[in-house]
Amino acid sequence: MPRTHLPTQLAPASAWLIEDYRRAAVRSQPAAGGLAQVELPQVPQDELWLVERIVVHCTSSNQTAARLYLDSIAPAGVLDGSRAGNFDVADQGSPIQVPGGSVLICQWTGADNNAVGTMRVQYVVLKQRR
């Protein structure tokens, strides 16, 4: 005799809703040993940030490279980068997702001692709703 499969109710799905459009700017401490670094505050657990635009600038007279990382300075954490770290703009056609609990970090390499790096970020904040 064939088995009959009845539909079962699923738990309510969560949804991401646009909460806000934000901009942030962070400035590094003076560079030492060729490195300058900044990080944005940790993303709240119930949020997802969609990074649409990033501008990096460094006051170094030497040419710098800038790399964007998620959570840690490690090859597995690289999100984006530029060989023109003294000034460059990344206008993301496909936004970078930064999930809740994560930290966005920018590091400049090749900087003169005492050079300062600045990162400006434009992003959409999504809030999780149940």
Side-chain angles (χ1 to χ4, degrees), residues 10 36 39 44 54 57 74 85 93 95 97 101-104 106 110 124 126 128:
L10 299 175
E39 62 181 59
I54 305 164
H57 177 265
Q97 294 183 20
S102 297
V103 176
L104 198 59
C106 183
V124 176
L126 301 178
Q128 191 172 23

Side-chain angles (χ1 to χ4, degrees), residues 91-110:
D91 197 352
Q92 306 294 337
S94 179
I96 295 171
Q97 294 183 20
V98 185
S102 297
V103 176
L104 198 59
I105 304 165
C106 183
Q107 184 182 70
W108 289 262
T109 56

Side-chain angles (χ1 to χ4, degrees), residues 8 38 60 100 107 112 119:
T8 57
V38 296
S60 177
Q107 184 182 70
D112 298 328
M119 176 177 69

Side-chain angles (χ1 to χ4, degrees), residues 2 8 15 19 42 45 68 73 79 87 89 99 118:
T8 57
E19 176 77 12
Q42 185 178 36
Q45 287 294 334
L68 190 66
I73 306 294
L79 294 175
F87 180 78
V89 177
T118 305

